[in-house]
Amino acid sequence: MAAARLLLSAISKVFPGVKALDAVSFDLLPAEIHALCGENGAGKSTLMNILSGNLQPDEGEIFLHGEKVVLANPLSAQNQGISIVHQEKSLVGNLSIAENIFTENYPVKTGGFIDFPELYSRTQKLLQTLNITSLDPRTKVESLSSTRQQIVEIAKALAKNPKILILDEPTAAMTADETETLFRILRELRQKGTSVIYISHRLTEIFEIADRLTVLRDGKYQGTFPVADMTIKSIIRLMVGRDLEEQTYTSQQQKNILLSIKNLCGHKFHNITFELRAGEILALAGLVGAGRSEVARAIMGIDPAEKGEIWVQGKKVIIRNPPDAIRYGIGYVPENRKEQGIFPEMTLADNIAVTSLSSLARKGFIQNNQVFSPVQKLVEKLQIKTPSIQQKMINLSGGNQQKALLGRWLMLDPSVLIVDEPTQGVDVGAKAEIYQLLRALAAKGTAILLISSELPEVLALSDRVLVLYNGTLTGELSREEATESEILHYASGLARHSP
Amino acid sequence: DPSKGAKFQEKQTGTQVDPNEEYVMVTTAVNMPMYVNHDQATFKRWGEQMGVKTSILGTSEWDVQQQIQIIEQVIGTHPTGLLINGTDPSIARAIDKAVEAGIPTVVYDSDIPQSNRHAFLGTDWYEIGKLQGEALARLLNGKGKIAYMGIVGMTNMENGFRGLLDVLANYPDIEVVGKYNDEANVEKAAKITADLINAHPDLAALAGFDSNSGPGIALSIREAGKTGKIVVTTVDWEPEHLKLVKEGGINLLVGQKRELFVWYGAQFLFDMVHQTNRISGNDKSAGITNVPFAVNTGLFTITSENIANFLP
Amino acid sequence: MNTPGIAKLLQERVFTLSLTLVILVGVCSLIWPDTFLTFSNLSTLLLNISTDSVVVIGMMILLISGTFDLSVGSVYALSGGLAAYLAYNYGMFTPVAILVGLGVAVLIGFINGLLITKVGINPLIQTLATLGIVRGIFDLMGKVATLPEGFDALGTSRLMGIQTPFWVMISLVIIFSILVSRHVFFRRYYYIGGNEKAARLSGIPVNRLKVWGFMLSAFLAGVAGILFVSRMGAVPDTLGKGLELKIITAAILGGASLLGGQGKITGAFLGVIFIHLISNILVFARVSGQWTDIIFGIILVLAISLDIFLKKNAEIRLTESLRNIYQQPKP
Amino acid sequence: MNTPGIAKLLQERVFTLSLTLVILVGVCSLIWPDTFLTFSNLSTLLLNISTDSVVVIGMMILLISGTFDLSVGSVYALSGGLAAYLAYNYGMFTPVAILVGLGVAVLIGFINGLLITKVGINPLIQTLATLGIVRGIFDLMGKVATLPEGFDALGTSRLMGIQTPFWVMISLVIIFSILVSRHVFFRRYYYIGGNEKAARLSGIPVNRLKVWGFMLSAFLAGVAGILFVSRMGAVPDTLGKGLELKIITAAILGGASLLGGQGKITGAFLGVIFIHLISNILVFARVSGQWTDIIFGIILVLAISLDIFLKKNAEIRLTESLRNIYQQPKP
Ligand SMILES: Nc1ncnc2c1ncn2[C@@H]1O[C@H](COP(=O)(O)OP(=O)(O)OP(=O)(O)O)[C@@H](O)[C@H]1O
Ligand SMILES: Nc1ncnc2c1ncn2[C@@H]1O[C@H](COP(=O)(O)OP(=O)(O)OP(=O)(O)O)[C@@H](O)[C@H]1O
Ligand SMILES: [Mg+2]
Ligand SMILES: [Mg+2]
């Protein structure tokens, strides 16, 4: 075996109330793709933050090519050839794609002036290698979908020609196509001798791309293994400490229609018509950008529809804004957790209680204990990992934040719940728990509209699948009819066909 | 104890001075050169000559509410006498509090007639406006376009404006094009003047009512090449104003005798404390204030004719 | 050991600011033993802060929700001036005149809120324009130098030796600090300031609440203006000029952030006390006029640095003590 | 059709503001055909905006990076005052005196930046304290009523009939609008303002750049102060008072946001022109006295509403034309 390119030895890191890393060791070989696995909050991002100079370890040492180094800040890590795609978005919406990618290493002419033609042509080339040809490098990042933004993030990391590339959940907001492109590039990089650390909660991806894998649990090192020696089950056992139960499906669908949408038209969708029954889980599938979230936003009254009708429990309603929707018993877990979901500087308890403040209050007044006990119960039920419900939301790991967002609506118990990419960045265990939760909700009679880009998720949960292409409904599949290829067929806008 | 401030009751007539006597001036806009060079310099000079302590309190901004608060707070520290700048009628209550606490209290510059102040020394802003109006009418031979500026909304200034307009009302051929707020800011005064010159190419005269009006007006007139063609009257006589009169940028300055009202104002306080002139056996119980009730220290004008006397 | 408890406390602006205040008062009462810590000085000080403290409540709520209002000084002036004007010139019954003054204030706040939330004008530009417009109207209005008796009483009557404005202030501060920390309506402002988009999606009527916030802020500015006018028995020309910046500074000293989501009413109140206490000390120290701003600025920077130092230290100690707890072998 | 092009343009503040300005000037030159659109009126207008325009450059850069500086007015005063003082009272060689004036400005900016980034003091509090301290120092310094000849020339000499300050302004505006839109160093301020955390993670020396920003802003304020003093030939006591709010307003009118990440130097420049143009028009329209503030505020709100209306309309048209493109059958 070749000498390690990178060696982390006995790294520890404590945050107030949390021991995020406990003497974790890790080694990375040249030209390997090394997966890092662990539940939400296991310490993966923390470890990578230390490796990229963003955090300093409390204990432990870092060796690069056998030499001890101190990565005092992001710049010094970059200078050592380490480049990272953070789990959190790190782009600036108001700047162009090109400028986001080359912030640290703009091509310059004499005097430090930016060589814009060169900048754009380099960006164009880089985007081409990422299979994106339709994008103008001058486009502002804020006008891109979150998938595209994720690709820009990756391009940004690649632009530095790193020796060590860290990808922290790069595919959370991606669909199969983009993921495939990403893997092709990673393989090419490996060929050229780059080492990659790859973090993902989609375990199948690990078998597709990684050479070795390391597992963390509760901040503790669980071992490093060649991927070839492992199975999904064995990885899960290492991550969770036990086996996951197989989940079985039974439809809970009832007769009565809770939500009925008729000829809804909006900015990016036309003539959407469907019905949603109590206890039903209806999936809205489609390629990214098909307009699924737009439909949800219209139903919630965030961007009210231009035309069409919404009926709730047999009555026609007009929904002008989210409070209206909530009054009619509709809840919404948005797709972009950080931007639209969390209140980062507020506590976990506050984040969960937000939708049900009035019902928790007595005569308009709220005591902490009135909030704390139901929240505490919910946190336990959802198994949200936190030292206390008074922890700031921003300090929770991504997956736990996602669970808290779901919890926010569970407190209110709406009759219709729209969940948009509900398991983005959630670990396998938690994912199973969320599925369980959604099914339990359905069993109670809640109607669920599921928007998801993960086809296995769609197939595992839904009673019925609607497929959206470019803003129009192109297909409806019952649970029995739905397969990945069938959904993809409609989602790519091909005409109806008989199987 | 409040009686400490009321020493003047027990003190014998005479000039025996306690070096711990402290006379406090409470003003506002404390850094205004006009205040620093005339009021404050005079007050300090007086204190040194009399062998007593002098203190000057006030904020750098023109902040009447803050002046009120300082007066109220300083009462508790038992000064020997208070010399208060009459910035605004609403300081009356604070003055009354000082008087009630037995502290000799004199108002200077502008009067606060609603208050129970012991004495007032100063000038009448209405007169300042009148003097400017008369000068303008004379210099323009009774006809032409006029604009004026100052701090719009301030009682002193508005009184001055009124004086100006009352005089000009007698001259039907004089057209007043407007009243402008320069906020005591040179840049603003200059900008307003420049705009006025362009909007009214036949503008004949400008009148300014705060310290910074004159220099700002003169700047824009100079830059427009109209020095001497537009008549300028304004207030105050800082070195800058004097220089402009000498150069012909300003035709007439109306000055207040600030040295007089500060000096004698302080002296009034001293005389009250020391019972310099006793009217009765016990003035206090007789309800007599043994200094003049109100003194008008008067105004004067500076033009190219007498400017030499003011220059160093 | 109780280190984590104290350390956690030290992270609260309200606590560190109180500490700084207590230290200041302690030192001063040693320097001026006869005059500083007297009923007279303290009650004057409290009376003097009463108007600012009322205004700062509304500003704090706006800052919590991530916005601010530059027009409070003008509204303060117009409300007070108008009520006095109506009572004096038209012999209007005092309570009615006051209601009209307050009504106008609320209307201005409503217009501010509407233009900001519905038309989408930047709050700085909008409230700055309002500042100018309202000040202009105030200046147009005749000033009043004598008030009718009833009006006067509002600001000058005493309870337990202290004038009414103090009692009004203390009641409002207590009521609003309870409301803001405990009432559902006001809790929502923290969410809006914390993440406006998320707040909207969670069903909080963001725009409506913001409009209410501007109305409340204007209302409280109006209350303060009326209190001040009735206390002085006259309407100063420059009433309320420059108030906005002083109030925002006090609120930020008290823990608010221009980014929103942070701050407490008690913090804002302490911020006002802090600013006034320093100028009170400057009066006692007879810092001569020209030095006032310099010394004030230096004390401000030093006090804030101390505050930050206390906090940082607390953080480090907190982390360390937690680390020790973790490193103890678990049973 | 070119609709998307125009619609896109309409989303740019710089463009809509120019449009509003052109409309304003057009209307005015119809109303006052003889006096408004004259060389004299335009050149004096440009001369009068020169100092503000220089100061706004630095403020815009700070705003882009997500912060601001309230002390510019005081620094402006101290720089100009100090240079004049040294040249007059100590007969210091003019260029040296000017360099000292600018050096002090840069030093103040450095201290601001350091305390804000290293100690972590809130920029509002820190620069407000600096405002007071620096103003106090300026006030303590003796004022100068006469300047040495060379000093004078700087502000009063003419080129093509227009005074030097105009030329200095125009050069600085051009240089900095090129630098800020094209130079590596300045582009990074957008990144900092857009996402400070991400900027830090990307290895951008955020703190160092912010300190440079404060130094630059103070430097430019100093340049403006010296220009004005030499133009005036004297040092007025209220020099630069209230400048900060005017400058920040102009920058925000020109497209900056207090949240950072947005704005252009040309926008800020147009913002300054806008403010000065309105007051110019008010004088032509014979609006006077208390009405000035009122009408000014109303025009401000109307103009911004127009701007927002243009933008929103553009958005709708943009979306529609895009939809048409999408719905065209693809080849
Ligand atoms: N700045 C912080 N302050 C306090 N606690 C923190 C902070 N950052 C992370 N933590 C905590 O440290 C633990 C590890 O977090 P980390 O983000 O490394 O998890 P992760 O393995 O990346 O999880 P995920 O898969 O959800 O992204 C979590 O319990 C988290 O709450
Ligand atoms: N800057 C932005 N402002 C407002 N909305 C945005 C912005 N960027 C993206 N969006 C919206 O967020 C949604 C996510 O983009 P995406 O392309 O995934 O569309 P979508 O139809 O919601 O996709 P999906 O089918 O994955 O839900 C888009 O619909 C887009 O309209
Ligand atoms: Mg993570
Ligand atoms: Mg979506």
Side-chain angles (χ1 to χ4, degrees):
Chain A
M1 238 216 245
R5 171 169 279 165
L6 167 76
L7 188 70
L8 299 177
S9 131
I11 302 277
S12 292
K13 178 79 188 172
V14 174
F15 293 114
V18 184
K19 181 135 200 181
L21 292 173
D22 191 357
V24 170
S25 297
F26 180 88
D27 73 297
L28 185 65
L29 301 176
E32 79 158 339
I33 298 179
H34 193 140
L36 190 57
C37 301
E39 286 182 291
N40 294 129
K44 305 181 294 294
S45 299
T46 305
L47 190 64
M48 294 304 107
N49 274 321
I50 286 169
L51 183 51
S52 60
N54 183 31
L55 289 176
Q56 295 307 308
D58 295 333
E59 283 158 36
E61 292 172 335
I62 302 174
F63 298 90
L64 268 173
H65 309 289
E67 269 174 51
K68 190 180 164 195
V69 291
V70 175
L71 303 171
N73 53 49
L75 202 59
S76 69
Q78 275 175 35
N79 292 339
Q80 300 281 1
I82 300 172
S83 137
I84 179 166
V85 175
H86 283 282
Q87 190 174 8
E88 298 296 345
K89 289 252 159 63
S90 68
L91 301 177
V92 172
N94 197 30
L95 291 179
S96 68
I97 294 176
E99 288 198 69
N100 266 289
I101 292 178
F102 287 100
T103 318
E104 304 94 11
N105 40 3
Y106 277 115
V108 290
K109 298 184 284 197
T110 41
F113 286 93
I114 298 169
D115 186 348
F116 278 100
E118 173 71 13
L119 174 68
Y120 293 136
S121 80
R122 273 197 212 174
T123 309
Q124 193 81 54
K125 258 183 238 150
L126 197 57
L127 289 177
Q128 261 159 20
T129 63
L130 286 162
N131 247 9
I132 307 241
T133 46
S134 56
L135 274 186
D136 185 344
R138 293 171 189 77
T139 316
K140 280 189 182 173
V141 157
E142 66 193 356
S143 64
L144 302 179
S145 68
S146 47
T147 313
R148 290 274 166 92
Q149 289 185 3
Q150 185 65 46
I151 292 169
V152 174
E153 299 251 18
I154 292 169
K156 182 176 167 183
L158 290 180
K160 288 168 219 157
N161 289 322
K163 281 265 147 301
I164 297 173
L165 174 65
I166 304 168
L167 299 169
D168 195 348
E169 294 195 38
T171 54
M174 282 188 182
T175 45
D177 264 6
E178 291 99 14
T179 309
E180 212 31 68
T181 311
L182 176 65
F183 285 176
R184 180 177 54 72
I185 289 160
L186 293 185
R187 290 193 192 100
E188 281 167 21
L189 285 175
R190 175 169 55 189
Q191 204 90 56
K192 288 185 210 146
T194 308
S195 309
V196 179
I197 301 175
Y198 188 85
I199 298 176
S200 176
H201 289 297
R202 300 182 177 174
L203 296 183
T204 47
E205 289 177 0
I206 289 168
F207 289 92
E208 211 176 313
I209 189 78
D211 304 309
R212 292 195 299 161
L213 73 92
T214 293
V215 179
L216 298 182
R217 183 164 85 223
D218 286 338
K220 295 196 186 70
Y221 177 70
Q222 304 294 316
T224 301
F225 315 90
V227 168
D229 297 353
M230 304 294 285
T231 62
I232 290 199
K233 263 199 164 164
S234 61
I235 297 177
I236 291 177
R237 204 176 307 125
L238 281 168
M239 278 170 58
V240 188
R242 60 188 160 82
D243 286 323
L244 285 183
E245 294 160 32
E246 282 293 325
Q247 300 205 352
T248 51
Y249 166 82
T250 42
S251 176
Q252 308 285 350
Q253 186 178 332
Q254 301 168 18
K255 277 255 156 49
N256 53 325
I257 296 170
L258 292 187
L259 178 72
S260 166
I261 304 296
K262 297 181 180 166
N263 287 318
L264 207 64
C265 295
H267 259 28
K268 273 182 157 180
F269 56 89
H270 330 283
N271 295 320
I272 305 293
T273 302
F274 65 84
E275 286 168 350
L276 186 56
R277 287 165 202 278
E280 180 182 29
I281 301 182
L282 173 63
L284 202 51
L287 295 181
V288 164
R292 298 164 300 174
S293 301
E294 266 70 22
V295 174
R297 290 170 68 88
I299 296 172
M300 279 307 284
I302 303 159
D303 310 316
E306 292 165 359
K307 265 191 285 184
E309 297 173 1
I310 299 174
W311 295 64
V312 175
Q313 309 207 358
K315 275 194 219 103
K316 188 181 165 194
V317 298
I318 291 171
I319 295 177
R320 283 181 229 89
N321 46 43
D324 281 351
I326 291 168
R327 217 169 304 125
Y328 294 121
I330 310 173
Y332 177 54
V333 178
E335 63 182 336
N336 188 337
R337 181 168 65 228
K338 194 181 162 204
E339 246 182 54
Q340 310 172 4
I342 64 169
F343 302 96
E345 296 294 327
M346 301 180 80
T347 65
L348 172 61
D350 285 333
N351 267 277
I352 289 179
V354 59
T355 49
S356 37
L357 285 176
S358 352
S359 52
L360 289 172
R362 227 168 282 148
K363 293 192 177 140
F365 283 89
I366 277 204
Q367 301 291 342
N368 273 344
N369 54 4
Q370 283 167 292
V371 176
F372 286 174
S373 68
V375 166
Q376 187 67 49
K377 262 187 228 140
L378 198 71
V379 164
E380 280 159 20
K381 185 170 152 202
L382 296 178
Q383 300 185 351
I384 295 174
K385 199 186 245 170
T386 174
S388 134
I389 58 171
Q390 300 213 60
Q391 176 75 305
K392 272 191 189 173
M393 192 72 162
I394 189 74
N395 292 339
L396 260 59
S397 79
N400 285 309
Q401 291 178 5
Q402 187 66 34
K403 287 193 203 168
L405 287 193
L406 264 173
R408 182 183 290 176
W409 291 101
L410 297 187
M411 288 277 281
L412 199 62
D413 198 15
S415 56
V416 177
L417 183 62
I418 307 174
V419 288
D420 200 347
E421 310 287 3
T423 60
Q424 229 178 58
V426 171
D427 70 46
V428 272
K431 212 178 243 181
E433 287 159 17
I434 288 174
Y435 291 173
Q436 206 70 60
L437 263 165
L438 291 175
R439 288 202 186 98
L441 276 177
K444 263 180 47 194
T446 310
I448 293 172
L449 182 64
L450 166 73
I451 299 174
S452 172
S453 300
E454 250 190 281
L455 290 182
E457 180 166 296
V458 168
L459 296 175
L461 279 176
S462 51
D463 299 317
R464 199 154 52 99
V465 181
L466 294 174
V467 189
L468 207 62
Y469 165 72
N470 204 4
T472 44
L473 283 176
T474 51
E476 175 175 343
L477 301 163
S478 69
R479 178 174 182 83
E480 290 70 35
E481 293 168 325
T483 61
E484 292 208 11
S485 65
E486 196 70 6
I487 294 175
L488 278 175
H489 179 81
Y490 288 112
S492 50
L494 300 177
R496 274 172 189 278
H497 67 138
S498 35
Chain B
D1 65 345
S3 65
K4 200 173 164 188
K7 277 177 196 154
F8 70 99
Q9 295 168 44
E10 295 110 50
K11 282 261 171 178
Q12 288 301 311
T13 307
T15 47
Q16 193 191 355
V17 177
D18 177 353
N20 283 325
E21 285 175 24
E22 187 199 22
Y23 295 83
V24 179
M25 171 187 260
V26 185
T27 175
T28 192
V30 77
N31 292 325
M32 207 193 289
M34 181 173 85
Y35 287 177
V36 175
N37 299 340
H38 301 281
D39 306 11
Q40 294 167 21
T42 305
F43 188 52
K44 284 182 193 153
R45 192 159 50 85
W46 175 83
E48 272 158 29
Q49 179 157 331
M50 305 303 289
V52 295
K53 270 196 227 159
T54 54
S55 306
I56 298 155
L57 296 175
T59 51
S60 61
E61 297 301 314
W62 184 279
D63 187 338
V64 175
Q65 189 166 340
Q66 193 70 30
Q67 191 193 7
I68 291 170
Q69 296 180 4
I70 293 175
I71 296 172
E72 290 179 340
Q73 291 176 8
V74 85
I75 292 170
T77 65
H78 315 305
T80 312
L82 280 176
L83 189 58
I84 294 174
N85 187 350
T87 52
D88 191 283
S90 60
I91 65 174
R93 288 250 167 95
I95 293 172
D96 292 353
K97 274 193 189 173
V99 173
E100 264 166 48
I103 302 170
T105 304
V106 168
V107 171
Y108 70 93
D109 202 346
S110 295
D111 198 5
I112 309 293
Q114 310 84 329
S115 72
N116 300 325
R117 91 264 180 309
H118 292 114
F120 159 72
L121 306 87
T123 39
D124 186 352
W125 272 79
Y126 182 81
E127 288 296 324
I128 293 179
K130 248 175 82 178
L131 272 179
Q132 287 200 55
E134 282 156 6
L136 285 171
R138 189 163 22 87
L139 291 164
L140 295 177
N141 292 321
K143 62 170 189 285
K145 276 188 181 174
I146 288 185
Y148 59 99
M149 66 183 78
I151 306 170
V152 169
M154 228 168 86
T155 310
N156 294 346
M157 301 276 164
E158 295 286 347
N159 284 338
F161 297 157
R162 236 175 354 98
L164 176 80
L165 295 181
D166 284 353
V167 172
L168 296 181
N170 301 324
Y171 299 88
D173 291 339
I174 288 182
E175 183 194 353
V176 178
V177 298
K179 156 180 168 182
Y180 295 94
N181 190 357
D182 64 23
E183 293 164 17
N185 184 309
V186 182
E187 289 101 319
K188 196 104 199 260
K191 172 72 166 47
I192 292 167
T193 305
D195 290 345
L196 279 167
I197 292 172
N198 287 311
H200 307 284
D202 54 345
L203 189 74
L206 280 158
F209 282 85
D210 64 60
S211 248
N212 288 287
S213 308
I217 292 171
L219 171 62
S220 281
I221 291 181
R222 187 169 72 225
E223 287 180 341
K226 293 205 167 185
T227 305
K229 293 188 191 114
I230 297 176
V231 173
V232 179
T233 66
T234 184
V235 296
D236 297 345
W237 45 294
E238 296 310 301
E240 218 174 307
H241 298 79
L242 297 176
K243 184 182 112 188
L244 287 167
V245 171
K246 189 159 166 255
E247 290 168 355
I250 291 175
N251 299 61
L252 172 121
L253 291 172
V254 178
Q256 290 169 292
K257 299 171 194 162
R258 305 194 72 88
E259 280 76 2
L260 299 193
F261 56 60
V262 170
W263 180 282
Y264 291 111
Q267 190 61 41
F268 279 18
L269 290 172
F270 184 91
D271 288 345
M272 284 169 79
V273 173
H274 295 271
Q275 301 274 329
T276 313
N277 297 294
R278 222 196 293 216
I279 312 288
S280 67
N282 186 339
D283 287 347
K284 175 76 180 178
S285 60
I288 296 171
T289 303
N290 48 26
V291 292
F293 179 69
V295 177
N296 188 334
T297 48
L299 301 166
F300 61 94
T301 58
I302 303 175
T303 63
S304 54
E305 279 152 31
N306 64 356
I307 180 75
N309 304 307
F310 293 89
L311 292 171
Chain C
M1 226 178 69
N2 204 12
T3 325
I6 293 174
K8 206 152 197 182
L9 215 54
L10 274 172
Q11 293 200 277
E12 279 281 334
R13 177 45 80 59
V14 171
F15 183 75
T16 50
L17 204 54
S18 313
L19 209 70
T20 315
L21 284 175
V22 168
I23 293 172
L24 270 179
V25 171
V27 171
C28 289
S29 53
L30 288 180
I31 302 180
W32 300 286
D34 297 337
T35 47
F36 190 80
L37 208 64
T38 57
F39 173 77
S40 149
N41 188 43
L42 291 191
S43 67
T44 310
L45 187 67
L46 287 171
L47 182 62
N48 285 332
I49 65 166
S50 58
T51 49
D52 286 1
S53 302
V54 172
V55 181
V56 88
I57 294 172
M59 189 67 84
M60 188 50 137
I61 292 172
L62 286 179
L63 282 165
I64 288 173
S65 77
T67 185
F68 53 84
D69 182 355
L70 296 181
S71 68
V72 285
S74 297
V75 172
Y76 172 91
L78 185 64
S79 256
L82 183 65
Y85 187 76
L86 293 175
Y88 178 74
N89 285 333
Y90 294 91
M92 199 182 263
F93 182 47
T94 298
V96 178
I98 289 176
L99 279 183
V100 174
L102 292 177
V104 168
V106 171
L107 181 71
I108 296 169
F110 178 69
I111 295 173
N112 272 340
L114 213 64
L115 287 168
I116 288 168
T117 57
K118 290 290 147 67
V119 181
I121 300 179
N122 178 298
L124 184 137
I125 307 264
Q126 174 57 42
T127 59
L128 195 71
T130 306
L131 182 158
I133 295 171
V134 175
R135 172 66 57 188
I137 297 171
F138 171 77
D139 283 341
L140 277 177
M141 203 173 60
K143 298 301 170 300
V144 175
T146 336
L147 286 182
E149 204 132 299
F151 205 130
D152 247 27
L154 194 66
T156 51
S157 56
R158 284 166 193 263
L159 181 67
M160 296 173 21
I162 310 182
Q163 279 173 242
T164 320
F166 165 79
W167 297 108
V168 174
M169 160 194 84
I170 216 70
S171 331
L172 286 174
V173 167
I174 291 174
I175 291 172
F176 276 97
S177 68
I178 292 174
L179 283 177
V180 169
S181 64
R182 307 212 163 275
H183 197 280
V184 172
F185 184 86
F186 290 97
R187 292 291 299 169
R188 297 208 166 107
Y189 287 104
Y190 285 97
Y191 288 102
I192 296 176
N195 183 348
E196 192 169 321
K197 262 188 197 165
R200 208 164 259 148
L201 294 187
S202 307
I204 293 174
V206 174
N207 284 350
R208 198 167 344 134
L209 282 176
K210 277 198 176 172
V211 175
W212 278 111
F214 279 103
M215 285 163 72
L216 179 66
S217 157
F219 172 79
L220 289 171
V223 170
I226 288 169
L227 281 179
F228 185 76
V229 166
S230 83
R231 173 155 95 88
M232 283 304 120
V235 182
D237 331 306
T238 49
L239 187 60
K241 262 200 179 169
L243 186 65
E244 51 284 348
L245 200 58
K246 194 162 100 187
I247 295 294
I248 293 178
T249 307
I252 288 190
L253 268 172
S257 147
L258 284 179
L259 299 177
Q262 280 174 18
K264 289 181 178 170
I265 300 297
T266 40
F269 182 53
L270 291 175
V272 171
I273 295 183
F274 184 77
I275 290 181
H276 280 264
L277 187 67
I278 295 183
S279 32
N280 185 248
I281 291 172
L282 294 183
V283 169
F284 272 78
R286 295 287 194 268
V287 170
S288 150
Q290 293 191 296
W291 286 95
T292 321
D293 280 355
I294 301 180
I295 309 280
F296 186 89
I298 292 174
I299 295 185
L300 195 59
V301 171
L302 286 180
I304 295 295
S305 305
L306 174 72
D307 183 287
I308 292 173
F309 174 79
L310 286 174
K311 228 184 202 167
K312 271 199 186 147
N313 240 319
E315 236 159 74
I316 292 170
R317 249 191 297 155
L318 192 63
T319 321
E320 245 156 41
S321 55
L322 284 171
R323 192 175 300 161
N324 290 337
I325 292 170
Y326 275 100
Q327 284 176 349
Q328 277 159 23
K330 279 177 195 161
Chain D
M1 228 180 68
N2 203 15
T3 325
I6 293 173
K8 206 156 195 180
L9 216 53
L10 274 173
Q11 293 201 277
E12 277 282 334
R13 177 45 81 57
V14 170
F15 183 75
T16 51
L17 203 55
S18 312
L19 209 69
T20 315
L21 284 174
V22 168
I23 294 171
L24 271 179
V25 170
V27 170
C28 290
S29 54
L30 289 179
I31 303 179
W32 302 287
D34 298 335
T35 45
F36 189 80
L37 209 63
T38 58
F39 174 76
S40 154
N41 192 36
L42 292 191
S43 67
T44 39
L45 187 69
L46 287 170
L47 179 63
N48 278 313
I49 65 166
S50 57
T51 46
D52 285 3
S53 302
V54 171
V55 182
V56 88
I57 294 173
M59 189 67 84
M60 189 49 136
I61 293 172
L62 286 178
L63 281 165
I64 288 172
S65 77
T67 184
F68 53 82
D69 181 355
L70 296 181
S71 69
V72 285
S74 298
V75 172
Y76 171 93
L78 185 64
S79 256
L82 184 64
Y85 187 77
L86 293 175
Y88 178 75
N89 285 333
Y90 294 93
M92 199 183 263
F93 183 48
T94 298
V96 179
I98 290 177
L99 279 183
V100 174
L102 292 177
V104 169
V106 171
L107 181 70
I108 295 168
F110 178 70
I111 294 172
N112 271 339
L114 212 64
L115 287 169
I116 289 168
T117 57
K118 290 290 147 69
V119 180
I121 300 179
N122 178 299
L124 186 137
I125 307 264
Q126 172 59 41
T127 60
L128 194 72
T130 307
L131 183 159
I133 295 172
V134 174
R135 173 66 58 185
I137 296 172
F138 169 76
D139 284 335
L140 280 178
M141 202 172 61
K143 297 300 172 299
V144 175
T146 331
L147 287 182
E149 203 131 300
F151 205 130
D152 245 26
L154 194 66
T156 53
S157 56
R158 282 167 195 261
L159 182 66
M160 299 176 13
I162 310 182
Q163 279 172 239
T164 320
F166 165 78
W167 297 108
V168 174
M169 160 193 82
I170 215 72
S171 332
L172 286 174
V173 167
I174 291 175
I175 291 173
F176 274 98
S177 69
I178 292 175
L179 283 177
V180 170
S181 63
R182 314 206 146 266
H183 198 280
V184 172
F185 183 82
F186 290 97
R187 283 313 279 182
R188 296 209 167 113
Y189 285 106
Y190 285 97
Y191 213 90
I192 295 176
N195 190 341
E196 187 167 328
K197 219 170 153 192
R200 249 175 246 275
L201 291 181
S202 300
I204 293 176
V206 174
N207 285 351
R208 204 176 329 142
L209 280 176
K210 278 200 174 171
V211 174
W212 278 110
F214 280 102
M215 285 164 72
L216 179 65
S217 158
F219 172 79
L220 288 170
V223 169
I226 288 168
L227 279 179
F228 186 79
V229 164
S230 83
R231 185 182 147 205
M232 170 102 202
V235 182
D237 61 302
T238 51
L239 190 61
K241 264 203 177 167
L243 188 65
E244 50 286 347
L245 200 56
K246 194 163 95 187
I247 294 295
I248 292 177
T249 308
I252 288 188
L253 268 172
S257 147
L258 284 179
L259 299 175
Q262 279 175 18
K264 288 181 177 171
I265 299 299
T266 40
F269 181 53
L270 291 174
V272 171
I273 295 183
F274 185 78
I275 290 181
H276 282 266
L277 187 68
I278 294 184
S279 51
N280 185 254
I281 292 171
L282 292 183
V283 171
F284 273 78
R286 291 212 177 188
V287 173
S288 90
Q290 291 87 336
W291 287 99
T292 317
D293 282 351
I294 301 179
I295 310 282
F296 185 90
I298 293 175
I299 294 188
L300 195 60
V301 170
L302 286 181
I304 295 294
S305 305
L306 173 72
D307 184 287
I308 292 173
F309 174 79
L310 285 174
K311 229 184 201 168
K312 269 196 188 150
N313 239 320
E315 236 159 74
I316 292 170
R317 250 192 296 156
L318 192 64
T319 325
E320 247 156 41
S321 54
L322 283 174
R323 189 180 304 164
N324 291 337
I325 292 170
Y326 275 107
Q327 284 175 347
Q328 275 159 24
K330 280 177 192 160

